[in-house]
Amino acid sequence: MNKEFKTDISPCKITDEELSQINKFTVRELTKDEVYTFNVVLCDNEVDRDCEQFDISALEKLAELFVGVTGIFDHNPKAENQNARIFSASCEKVAGKFNSLGEDYVCVKAKAYMPRTEKNKDIIAEIDAGIKKEVSVSCAVSGFTCSVCGGDMRYSSCSHIKGDEYDGHKCYCVLSDVQDAYEWSFVAVPAQMNAGVTKSYAKEFENMENCIKAIKNGNAVKLTEVQSKQLAEYIDKLEKQADDGKIYRQQLTQEAVKFALIAVPTLKSDSVEKMCSSVDTKELIKIKDAFKVKAGEIVPLSPQLKAKKYDNEVDNSDFKF
Ligand SMILES: [Zn+2]
């Protein structure tokens, strides 16, 4: 997911210790005169415009994962992208400051460096002059907890909608379990093609998630043309996944039947198939595994059974004990 965050960028002085941190990332040892360093806040525990909030453990993990990650300045379309790299980052509580929920304000403060080259001259001058920019961080998260019921918002165990109010409580999603930090970049000009597209897409997608929830809840939903298209794309994606799921179930059923007939030779394949079709996929895996264990006990004792095949659809590789 991408998260945009308004940030201050400020130049910082570099210590000997920091220079050695930086030199861990460089091919050649750089001197203090050759590097330019600056502070940047990457993200915080504020509920953002997508009605999402990183929890503290997520911010701590992001601080850890963003060290060494390269960032891009997208602001100048005529220059090549200018790169900077984060060489240190930490999760910090800002004393006396609170987020909109009244919690202690916590943010990920990072330090980045870039070589003082001709190419970087302009951006260095801008940072020295004091600029405010929007930083976009891209990361993978696997925890999506509803602030109203504590349920998992992704797998629809809750019916709440981000941004809606429930008994005076505005629902938001708590992001946790950060898996990876991919990149960070500055998007200064909203008119920038890429930034604009990504943002509006992300926003529409959010709306669409809400819209699917509303449909599931049986509410009437009006869609814009863009949303209709996105919903269609989403359905396409789900159909593809469903097809994959069907193929997977077929394979599982074939294996279950194959092992069942070895484990219990008096069974008929169609009755095993019937049994398999009536359970969910998790149960089907358990059934297949149980028959596999049983079949494994029998096959080595009765080599003649190896020749017994269930259909030709299934190859025999599983029988190579
Ligand atoms: Zn909920």
Side-chain angles (χ1 to χ4, degrees), residues 145-153 157-161 166 171 213:
T145 308
C146 172
S147 66
V148 177
C149 70
D152 185 333
M153 294 197 90
S157 63
C158 98
S159 59
H160 300 109
I161 294 170
Y166 301 90
C171 176
K213 274 200 171 175

Side-chain angles (χ1 to χ4, degrees), residues 219-232:
N219 300 332
V221 173
K222 261 189 195 165
L223 293 180
T224 64
E225 200 178 315
V226 176
Q227 285 171 330
S228 297
K229 268 189 196 146
Q230 282 173 345
L231 193 55

Side-chain angles (χ1 to χ4, degrees), residues 34-308:
E34 289 175 303
V35 290
Y36 179 79
T37 52
F38 59 94
N39 301 303
V40 55
V41 175
L42 292 176
C43 46
D44 62 10
N45 66 335
E46 188 55 271
V47 178
D48 65 14
R49 58 189 168 207
D50 299 327
C51 295
E52 291 176 341
Q53 181 204 34
F54 285 116
D55 74 1
I56 305 297
S57 69
L59 293 176
E60 281 167 352
K61 190 73 186 173
L62 285 170
E64 191 187 308
L65 290 171
F66 266 112
V67 174
V69 175
T70 308
I72 302 161
F73 285 89
D74 261 335
H75 78 303
N76 190 348
K78 62 182 180 202
E80 282 172 50
N81 287 334
Q82 291 140 320
N83 293 332
R85 193 197 293 270
I86 291 172
F87 64 93
S88 80
S90 59
C91 187
E92 286 179 27
K93 192 196 278 187
V94 180
K97 195 175 172 183
F98 303 95
N99 68 9
S100 61
L101 302 169
E103 301 165 344
D104 285 324
Y105 179 81
V106 178
C107 62
V108 176
K109 282 188 178 172
K111 286 186 174 190
Y113 75 92
M114 61 174 104
R116 284 184 184 273
T117 58
E118 190 57 29
K119 206 175 84 177
N120 290 333
K121 206 180 69 187
D122 290 348
I123 185 68
I124 289 172
E126 259 189 63
I127 296 172
D128 280 337
I131 46 163
K132 229 181 189 345
K133 280 194 181 295
E134 193 149 275
V135 63
S136 164
V137 298
S138 169
C139 61
V141 164
S142 64
F144 299 83
T145 308
C146 172
S147 66
V148 177
C149 70
D152 185 333
M153 294 197 90
R154 234 191 174 183
Y155 298 104
S156 20
S157 63
C158 98
S159 59
H160 300 109
I161 294 170
K162 282 187 284 182
D164 280 6
E165 284 212 8
Y166 301 90
D167 292 328
H169 174 97
K170 195 170 179 185
C171 176
Y172 59 93
C173 178
V174 180
L175 306 172
S176 60
D177 302 325
V178 172
Q179 303 297 313
D180 213 344
Y182 302 120
E183 58 180 23
W184 56 285
S185 58
F186 290 109
V187 278
V189 191
Q192 273 262 326
M193 272 288 285
N194 283 338
V197 169
T198 322
K199 255 184 259 172
S200 68
Y201 176 75
K203 214 164 177 170
E204 293 294 347
F205 192 79
E206 284 305 326
N207 290 343
M208 200 195 64
E209 274 184 344
N210 282 347
C211 138
I212 290 168
K213 274 200 171 175
I215 293 170
K216 281 185 185 168
N217 291 346
N219 300 332
V221 173
K222 261 189 195 165
L223 293 180
T224 64
E225 200 178 315
V226 176
Q227 285 171 330
S228 297
K229 268 189 196 146
Q230 282 173 345
L231 193 55
E233 277 169 22
Y234 183 67
I235 291 169
D236 270 351
K237 208 174 104 190
L238 289 183
E239 282 174 347
K240 280 195 192 101
Q241 283 175 357
D243 283 343
D244 289 345
K246 270 183 209 156
I247 293 170
Y248 179 59
R249 272 196 76 103
Q250 272 167 8
Q251 286 172 345
L252 280 176
T253 304
Q254 283 172 11
E255 284 186 16
V257 172
K258 178 177 77 180
F259 294 129
L261 296 191
I262 296 167
V264 189
T266 49
L267 270 174
K268 288 229 162 65
S269 63
D270 54 349
S271 43
V272 183
E273 270 172 19
K274 230 177 238 169
M275 179 179 75
C276 291
S277 68
S278 64
V279 297
D280 67 22
T281 308
K282 269 187 192 164
E283 286 303 316
L284 180 52
I285 293 170
K286 282 186 199 160
I287 290 170
K288 186 263 295 174
D289 287 345
F291 279 130
K292 188 177 181 178
V293 170
K294 203 75 199 149
E297 287 168 5
I298 292 165
V299 170
L301 299 172
S302 319
Q304 72 275 13
L305 280 175
K306 276 187 184 175
K308 191 173 176 179

